[in-house]
Structures are given as structure tokens and as C-alpha cells.
Amino acid sequence: MKASPHTGLRASRRSEIEELPVAPSEPRVMEGGHIRSGSMQGCPVLSVGVIVDLFQSSSAGGHVKTWEKLAHAACGEPLDLTLYFFGSEKGELPLAENVRYVHIPPVWSTESLPFLDGIPAHTDLAPLHPGALWRFRRHHVLHATDAYFSLARAARMLSRWSSRALVHSTHTDTPGYTRVYTDQVLRRICGDSWLGRALRERWKMPERMERRMHRRLERYLSRCDWALAPDEDSMRQLHSVIASGRTSLLRRGIDTELFHPARRDRARLEQAYGIPSDSAVLLFAGRIDSGKDVLTLARAARILLDRGLPVHVICAGEGSQTQQVRDLLGERVSLPGQLSQDVLAWLYASADLFVSCSQIEVFPNVIVEAKASGLPAVVSAQGGSAMLVRHSASDAGADGVAV
């Protein structure tokens, strides 16, 4: 038996599934496109639990949507897959015989704290979720998509107690968001008082909280058997914590039939949103809040308008800064709210430019969708957005600009 890759684990888990101290539910295999109980040529079907410490809803962000798409892609495959989300009530939603969503109520939801009502997505602040420990016992592999909250902690604890493999994948710059929203909460609670200024400027509380979350991520990764990164640069950064032989890329993929230039319908766009035909249409899709730095887009558009340039902004999404965007741009902005993927695909193909100002992205799906739709993008040079556009002036295939 190989030695454990990190302290507290009794064995290498990737090849020794059969040594589980508490056996998962009976493995099932494919037969005629369906899953049945039993084994396939003597091999058990791998049971994987994917842990998303967020609420699942129609307005959820890219983190949740990425795993929903992967779950649909896994339907009918020789794999037993369960995706765990938070939910107001316990529940299970089967997608296929081998794939299902499970909703688990949080122990101490961030929704219960009034001063956190402006954060983009709610989670569980409890140090551990005992109910999750029981549910996770059925799986061979536990795949955590964060490193901070109760479900991910339960997965780590169970992994240390047993021979279940622990895998981590990066989807959100949680330390960066922690800095942004700590600053926002301090301003809300303390205003511009001396205490608020001291916490933010002298004691640098937002930056301290960001560093704390970085340390928690590093500790979590050091206990993982495998880690998945969204791109090569992120994977190299992982190697300071986890051996290079235990990392790989997570390829998300995209529906190129849905997101395609053929969906362009400019006349429909102008009619639907009352846009003059001579206007350049700038599109943003995502949360309309400080985390996405959407006011930078609104202020830049205001400058262009004040200089007499005909631009019209469409912000597809919802968030705490919606009214501020409306106040800045007036009739030159359309705010249609949360839109379906079909409508977004049409908007991508029909607009003139996609704009993303966020500096704390990991792998923003919206930029990949915009590019697939033939829409060039202007993105922040900070964060993962810049990795997704080819912006060299000498590159004939350039599809965006990083600034």
C-alpha cells in the first residue's frame, strides 16, 4: 500500500477504492443506457460527491451553473454522481438514474445576518455540517469546490478519517471577494466614522481577511489528493502547496450550438430595447454589484456619452448597484434583469462589445460565451479574465482587449 500523500490519511485513495472502512452504497453499472445494481466486469462504478457550498437557484452565478452543466453531461455515463447544494429544505432531484442534485439546509446561513444581505451568494457559516458527514459516506471520491464552508469542511474531515479521496477545484476567487465585501460591510456598519476609517485604512481589515482566506485555502489544498485548476497559470500557482503530479486542468466546455454568431439579430435587439440604430451596444452579464466592478463600465459609458459618442449599455443581471447604474446612464442603459441562456445567447451575438471590469475573476463563463458568439471583449488585465482573450496587437486572431 502506498504511503499517504499527506498527514492523517492512511492510504493513497485514487487506486484503493475497495478499502473504504464504511462501504458506500452498492455500486451500479451501465446496461442498455441505464444504471443497474451490480458491477461491470468485476469493477465497481465510481461514486463521486461534488460539494458546492452555495444555494442552487435560477439566479445563481457561474460556479453553480458550471456544475449544473457538468451534471447534465454526466447523465447516462458509467459514473454515480451526486451534486450537493444548500437549500431551504431537504430534497433530492434526480437528473438520471446515475446523477442527482441533493439540497441540504445550512446550519447557520449567512441569510440570517442582516448586514450580509448585499453579498452575491449565501452559504453556511457553521464550522461543520454533521448531516453532510453522514450523506458523504456513500461516495468513493469527495470533490470540494471551495475550501472554507461547512460542507467542504465535512468532506475534509471524512477524508481524514477514511480512505476516501479528496479533490478540490477552483471556481471563485473567494479571498478577493472577501476583501471587497468586508470593505462594503464595514462601510455599511461604520460609515465614514473614525472607527470605520481605522478598520479599513489603518488596520486594513479587508486585506487581513483576504490573507486569512488565502491561508485557509492553502491548508485545505495541502490535505487534498488532487487539485483541478481552470488554466495553466492557476495550476502553476497550486504547485506551491500541492505536488505537480497531483494537479490537472478542469475543462468546462461550452455549448457552441447555443452560443454562436448565427444567433445575431440586430433588428430585434434595437426594437426590444429601444436602441437607436447608430448606437454601439456594450453588453455586461452578471451581478450588478461592486464585486463585478460594474460602476466602472457605467462611468466609462457616461464619459463616452458626454463626449457625444452614441453608446447604449445593456446590463443583464441583478444586484445592489442596479439603481446607481440607472442614475448614471438614464435612458442609455437597459436593465432587463436575470435572463435565460437562450436570451443571453442572442444578446451576445447581437451586441458590439462585451465588457467585464471585474478584477477578481477565476474563469468567467460569460467571456467564453461571448467569444463563442463572435463578440469581442474588453476585460480587466487583473484576474482570470485576461487569460481568456487574445489581445496582442500583432495577433490576427485577437478577440479582445485587456486593460
Side-chain angles (χ1 to χ4, degrees), residues 39-105:
S39 62
M40 180 181 293
Q41 297 178 351
C43 298
V45 170
L46 187 68
S47 179
V48 179
V50 175
I51 298 146
V52 183
D53 278 86
L54 297 169
F55 283 81
Q56 184 184 27
S57 69
S58 59
S59 61
H63 186 158
V64 170
K65 286 186 171 63
T66 291
W67 281 104
E68 289 176 340
K69 293 174 183 177
L70 290 172
H72 282 280
C75 291
E77 296 294 328
L79 170 75
D80 185 78
L81 179 63
T82 303
L83 274 68
Y84 294 94
F85 300 97
F86 287 122
S88 57
E89 298 179 353
K90 290 182 181 180
E92 181 172 320
L93 174 63
L95 299 184
E97 290 189 63
N98 67 311
V99 181
R100 66 206 62 83
Y101 297 147
V102 170
H103 291 165
I104 302 176

Side-chain angles (χ1 to χ4, degrees), residues 357-387:
C357 301
S358 173
Q359 301 181 42
I360 50 176
E361 297 294 333
V362 171
F363 190 98
N365 296 336
V366 289
I367 294 175
V368 180
E369 293 166 355
K371 288 175 54 178
S373 304
L375 183 63
V378 173
V379 304
S380 170
Q382 303 295 319
S385 298
M387 301 291 293

Side-chain angles (χ1 to χ4, degrees), residues 194 221 265-266:
W194 69 267
L221 287 170
D265 189 341
R266 183 60 178 230

Side-chain angles (χ1 to χ4, degrees), residues 191-202:
D192 199 36
S193 66
W194 69 267
L195 177 59
R197 292 196 303 273
L199 288 170
R200 296 193 311 271
E201 300 167 12
R202 181 178 178 181

Side-chain angles (χ1 to χ4, degrees), residues 139-206:
H139 302 296
H140 303 117
V141 177
L142 298 171
H143 183 139
T145 65
D146 83 273
Y148 316 96
F149 305 111
S150 65
L151 299 186
R153 290 179 177 182
R156 183 182 67 183
M157 178 176 290
L158 184 58
S159 173
R160 296 183 69 180
W161 287 352
S162 69
S163 59
R164 289 162 178 79
L166 181 63
V167 177
H168 179 274
S169 60
T170 303
H171 299 266
T172 303
D173 182 3
T174 303
Y177 276 110
T178 299
R179 169 176 47 80
V180 169
Y181 290 109
T182 299
D183 180 83
Q184 180 177 301
V185 168
L186 289 175
R187 291 179 185 275
R188 178 181 300 180
I189 295 176
C190 303
D192 199 36
S193 66
W194 69 267
L195 177 59
R197 292 196 303 273
L199 288 170
R200 296 193 311 271
E201 300 167 12
R202 181 178 178 181
W203 295 320
K204 298 188 179 300
M205 189 59 66

